[in-house]
Amino acid sequence: YSLQDQFDNLEKHTQWGIDVLEKYIKFVKERTEIELSYAKQLRNLSKKYQPKKNSKEEEEYRYTSTRAFLATLNEMNDYAGQHEVISENMTSLITGELTRYVQELKQERKSHFHDGRKAQQHIETCWKQLEASKRRFERDCKEADRAQQYFEKMDADINVTKADVEKARQQAQLRHQMAEDSKAEYSSTLQKFNSEQHEHYYTHIPNIFQKIQEMEERRIVRIGESMKTFAEVDRQVIPIIGKCLDEITKAAESVDHKNDSQMVIEAFKSGFEPPGDIDFEDFTQPMKRTVSESSLSNSRGDGKSEPKFGSKSKGKLWPFIKKNKLMSLLTSPHQPPPPPPASASPSAVPNGPQSPKQQKEPLSHRFNEFMTSKPKIHCFRSLKRGGAGPEDFSNLPPEQRRKKLQQKVDELNRDIQKEMDSRDALTKMKDVYIKNPQMGDAASVDHRLAELGQNIEKLRLEVQKFEGWLAEVEGRLPARPEQPRRQSGAYEAQNAAGVHGCAQDRESPDGSYTEEQSQETEMKVPATDFDDEFDDEEPLPTIGTCKALYTFEGQNEGTISVAEGEMLYVIEEDKGDGWTRIRRNEDEEGYVPTSYVEVYLDKNAK
């Protein structure tokens, strides 16, 4: 009770304590908002760098370094979740609890100080009563003294009548009696006040102050516990955050540069063999050059050589040129067309191939020795279009084609398994319907079972088709010792369809070049013009029609089979090599011997 006279100061101090508590609540609330904002930013950051589904970026995440980065993004997402946990726990355990406690504290404080004010008002009322009784006693005493003095004066005066003296004596006695009554009242009030004052200062006020002290101490303890909880909430998520960081470290340690390098090799290796040595080109013998300056041929047997496309494209060899442009250098089938049934030899045909003066092996043959053969490309447009490409992936290098075919086979097998699972489920359902007709009609699933059987059969045929292509590719991979030369010839043959759109210099079927002076002049064009010709994705226009005079079995790559009397479209004339390029429909085109067809050119054709 040492602060019994500091009631007002205690009231100010307890209000300050509540203000401190509310300030701490506001601090924690702002901390939770920061945690939520931080978690949201972390999640947005993780989402921003997540690979997009069904995109090329998603395919890049097969490498260990990118997988480690993806693991880091996922862990950062979990890391953000822990900050959300911090915010939630602080809100529920600190902010919410303290807010309710502050409301209770305010009510309790209000009650205690109300009791204190009531006690003060009571003691003040007692004091006022004491003062009033004291003043009344003092007044009565003074009046009694004056009445006594007046009586004594009247009694000593001989001129005053006896009746006046008696009246003064009675008045003095009355005043003395009133003074005695006031004295008794004052004494009683004084005793009562002293008792109330003692009760006030030694009982009521100490009890009230004790309650206020306990209230204040609970507030102090509560804010200390909240600060401890503040730290514990953070400490509880530290192990999980540590696990997130450990996972990030583990992902970083899983990065394998050797494995990534090997995956790049596996992803991009084409199956082609590297080129051999290039023969020396002797420019000191210009008179012995037999073909145009724009020829791709390169003599092996006699050491003669020809320059490439021109000064701008000189030395532009595989693998330093684009694959699609390299493929466009290939020509028509590298063998002479067969003679018609009525002819003794190809030379008897007016449109037969021109016999070169000197046999030369074109440089494209040497390129093709380094490349793996591909299945027949029915239409060169399918290679140039931006679409999905041929069904057998023949527009890809051998190794890439093998992977695509294997993926297709696996995908079809999975589809077959799904269809078989569905068929098995329907079969069981049908058995149940047969045993319990009330559950359903067994005949209602027959149609679906038939559909599933047809689907499975179609998928199996597809699997057989792709497995055949896969076996063909695996049998032609350059790892086999006897393959390279055979692959070269096949690759040259299958890609023959694209040569006429890029150059006028023609290769005869036996592998030599024709010697047309006008063609030499036409081929002297810059390499940029050569490149630009392949940017056009439009198919070759028809320039006329033709009628098959004989049946021709197109067994070689780049050729097409025709039946006697069949009418077809001509899309490229014979350039002197004995072959004419024709088209049956949008997807079937190839070369046939010129002597096997009768050509009707359109006069308006370009």
Side-chain angles (χ1 to χ4, degrees):
Y1 62 51
S2 58
L3 297 177
Q4 58 188 3
D5 57 343
Q6 299 295 318
F7 190 82
D8 293 338
N9 290 334
L10 280 180
E11 187 175 14
K12 293 178 181 178
H13 176 77
T14 52
Q15 181 61 45
W16 171 84
I18 292 177
D19 293 341
V20 169
L21 198 56
E22 291 178 335
K23 183 185 294 185
Y24 184 73
I25 293 173
K26 185 178 180 182
F27 159 75
V28 176
K29 187 178 294 185
E30 291 183 4
R31 164 74 190 276
T32 58
E33 292 173 356
I34 291 173
E35 292 291 342
L36 280 178
S37 176
Y38 181 49
K40 182 179 180 181
Q41 291 179 14
L42 284 179
R43 288 192 185 277
N44 289 339
L45 181 66
S46 176
K47 182 179 179 180
K48 177 181 178 181
Y49 287 94
Q50 287 282 351
K52 296 178 178 61
K53 292 184 178 181
N54 302 324
S55 65
K56 182 180 179 182
E57 184 179 344
E58 189 176 23
E59 297 178 0
E60 295 173 353
Y61 278 82
R62 64 182 183 272
Y63 300 105
T64 58
S65 57
T66 48
R67 284 205 306 268
F69 178 54
L70 183 60
T72 300
L73 294 177
N74 294 333
E75 293 301 328
M76 288 303 295
N77 207 39
D78 296 340
Y79 186 92
Q82 295 311 306
H83 284 278
E84 291 175 346
V85 170
I86 290 175
S87 176
E88 292 172 1
N89 290 341
M90 285 187 175
T91 300
S92 60
L93 299 178
I94 300 178
T95 306
E97 292 294 329
L98 285 184
T99 301
R100 287 191 294 271
Y101 178 69
V102 164
Q103 297 301 322
E104 296 173 0
L105 187 63
K106 287 180 178 180
Q107 291 296 329
E108 184 180 0
R109 174 180 174 276
K110 182 179 179 180
S111 175
H112 292 331
F113 283 98
H114 175 73
D115 293 342
R117 290 191 185 91
K118 187 176 180 181
Q120 278 191 328
Q121 290 174 359
H122 178 68
I123 198 65
E124 288 175 359
T125 302
C126 292
W127 170 256
K128 289 178 181 178
Q129 291 176 354
L130 177 63
E131 286 293 317
S133 177
K134 179 181 176 181
R135 286 193 298 271
R136 187 164 53 251
F137 172 58
E138 181 182 7
R139 184 179 68 249
D140 289 346
C141 287
K142 289 180 180 179
E143 288 181 356
D145 288 342
R146 284 197 299 269
Q148 183 65 30
Q149 291 174 4
Y150 179 73
F151 167 70
E152 290 177 355
K153 180 180 178 183
M154 292 292 290
D155 188 45
D157 190 359
I158 59 175
N159 297 321
V160 178
T161 64
K162 188 175 181 179
D164 290 336
V165 172
E166 185 63 24
K167 184 179 180 180
R169 184 182 64 80
Q170 290 178 356
Q171 186 69 25
Q173 289 178 350
L174 180 63
R175 293 295 177 185
H176 277 291
Q177 186 61 40
M178 290 179 64
E180 288 295 330
D181 293 342
S182 297
K183 180 180 178 181
E185 183 184 357
Y186 171 66
S187 177
S188 174
T189 304
L190 179 61
Q191 289 178 1
K192 183 180 178 181
F193 174 78
N194 288 335
S195 175
E196 290 288 344
Q197 180 175 257
H198 186 275
E199 190 77 15
H200 175 79
Y201 285 107
Y202 290 93
T203 303
H204 295 307
I205 292 299
N207 288 340
I208 293 173
F209 280 13
Q210 183 64 32
K211 292 178 181 179
I212 293 174
Q213 180 178 345
E214 291 174 357
M215 177 194 71
E216 184 68 8
E217 289 175 353
R218 287 198 305 271
R219 178 192 66 81
I220 296 171
V221 170
R222 193 62 177 268
I223 196 171
E225 291 176 349
S226 299
M227 291 178 182
K228 185 178 179 181
T229 305
F230 183 86
E232 287 298 325
V233 167
D234 256 339
R235 186 175 286 110
Q236 287 174 0
V237 301
I238 286 177
I240 303 178
I241 291 177
K243 288 182 181 179
C244 293
L245 298 178
D246 291 341
E247 289 297 324
I248 293 175
T249 303
K250 183 178 178 181
E253 292 173 350
S254 69
V255 174
D256 186 351
H257 58 285
K258 295 292 185 182
N259 182 67
D260 283 4
S261 298
Q262 188 61 35
M263 290 181 68
V264 172
I265 294 171
E266 291 296 328
F268 296 110
K269 69 179 181 181
S270 63
F272 298 149
E273 292 185 356
D277 296 338
I278 296 177
D279 294 339
F280 175 74
E281 300 183 21
D282 190 357
F283 292 96
T284 61
Q285 303 178 15
M287 299 304 295
K288 295 182 180 181
R289 293 164 63 188
T290 58
V291 293
S292 72
E293 208 172 292
S294 301
S295 172
L296 280 175
S297 66
N298 186 13
S299 175
R300 294 182 181 177
D302 54 4
K304 295 179 182 179
S305 61
E306 279 72 34
K308 306 300 179 290
F309 299 104
S311 59
K312 291 187 179 180
S313 60
K314 191 174 294 184
K316 189 177 182 183
L317 300 179
W318 182 92
F320 305 107
I321 57 178
K322 294 182 180 179
K323 180 177 67 175
N324 60 344
K325 294 183 179 180
L326 176 64
M327 293 173 65
S328 68
L329 301 179
L330 304 176
T331 60
S332 57
H334 297 295
Q335 51 186 326
S343 303
S345 65
S347 60
V349 183
N351 294 330
Q354 187 175 358
S355 300
K357 297 178 181 179
Q358 184 175 1
Q359 297 294 326
K360 285 183 177 290
E361 186 177 8
L363 186 58
S364 60
H365 279 204
R366 299 199 60 199
F367 287 161
N368 294 329
E369 288 180 6
F370 313 136
M371 301 181 182
T372 310
S373 62
K374 301 179 184 177
K376 178 178 179 180
I377 300 178
H378 296 285
C379 179
F380 191 64
R381 295 196 314 277
S382 64
L383 192 63
K384 295 166 63 180
R385 287 172 180 166
E391 184 184 16
D392 59 357
F393 304 108
S394 55
N395 59 323
L396 299 176
E399 185 64 26
Q400 303 298 321
R401 183 186 178 208
R402 183 189 65 77
K403 291 181 180 179
K404 288 289 186 181
L405 289 172
Q406 186 62 54
Q407 292 175 4
K408 188 67 176 179
V409 169
D410 295 340
E411 179 183 347
L412 290 171
N413 284 330
R414 286 193 296 269
D415 293 340
I416 290 175
Q417 188 60 43
K418 289 180 182 178
E419 296 291 322
M420 291 178 67
D421 293 342
S422 300
R423 185 180 64 181
D424 294 342
L426 283 176
T427 303
K428 292 180 181 178
M429 184 184 296
K430 182 178 180 180
D431 294 340
V432 173
Y433 288 168
I434 292 174
K435 295 177 181 178
N436 302 289
Q438 67 274 11
M439 297 184 67
D441 184 11
S444 62
V445 299
D446 289 340
H447 178 67
R448 178 58 181 162
L449 283 173
E451 286 184 356
L452 290 173
Q454 294 175 0
N455 293 342
I456 291 172
E457 188 61 29
K458 290 178 182 178
L459 290 171
R460 283 175 175 167
L461 292 175
E462 287 289 310
V463 169
Q464 291 177 3
K465 178 173 67 174
F466 280 95
E467 284 179 344
W469 286 332
L470 181 61
E472 178 184 0
V473 173
E474 289 177 344
R476 291 185 178 185
L477 287 178
R480 300 176 181 270
E482 72 278 3
Q483 288 301 110
R485 185 60 201 168
R486 181 175 62 81
Q487 294 163 354
S488 173
Y491 189 79
E492 291 166 0
Q494 71 181 358
N495 293 284
V499 68
H500 299 291
C502 68
Q504 296 296 325
D505 185 15
R506 298 295 301 170
E507 218 179 309
S508 62
D510 59 357
S512 62
Y513 279 81
T514 58
E515 299 181 273
E516 296 179 6
Q517 184 63 33
S518 60
Q519 293 173 0
E520 287 188 32
T521 305
E522 291 177 9
M523 278 302 296
K524 293 180 181 179
V525 295
T528 54
D529 296 340
F530 176 78
D531 293 343
D532 291 339
E533 288 187 23
F534 288 89
D535 293 334
D536 185 11
E537 296 184 357
E538 293 297 326
L540 291 174
T542 58
I543 59 174
T545 58
C546 67
K547 179 181 180 181
L549 302 177
Y550 314 102
T551 298
F552 173 68
E553 298 292 338
Q555 299 179 352
N556 295 324
E557 298 293 340
T559 61
I560 185 173
S561 301
V562 296
E564 181 178 354
E566 184 178 2
M567 295 297 295
L568 305 110
Y569 296 102
V570 178
I571 58 176
E572 193 172 347
E573 293 183 78
D574 183 1
K575 299 297 183 180
D577 53 6
W579 296 89
T580 298
R581 189 174 178 183
I582 64 171
R583 177 186 298 151
R584 176 175 285 113
N585 52 46
E586 186 176 350
D587 295 325
E588 288 188 75
E589 60 183 51
Y591 289 92
V592 296
T594 305
S595 56
Y596 275 58
V597 293
E598 184 177 356
V599 178
Y600 309 99
L601 294 179
D602 187 357
K603 296 181 180 180
N604 297 326
K606 295 182 181 180

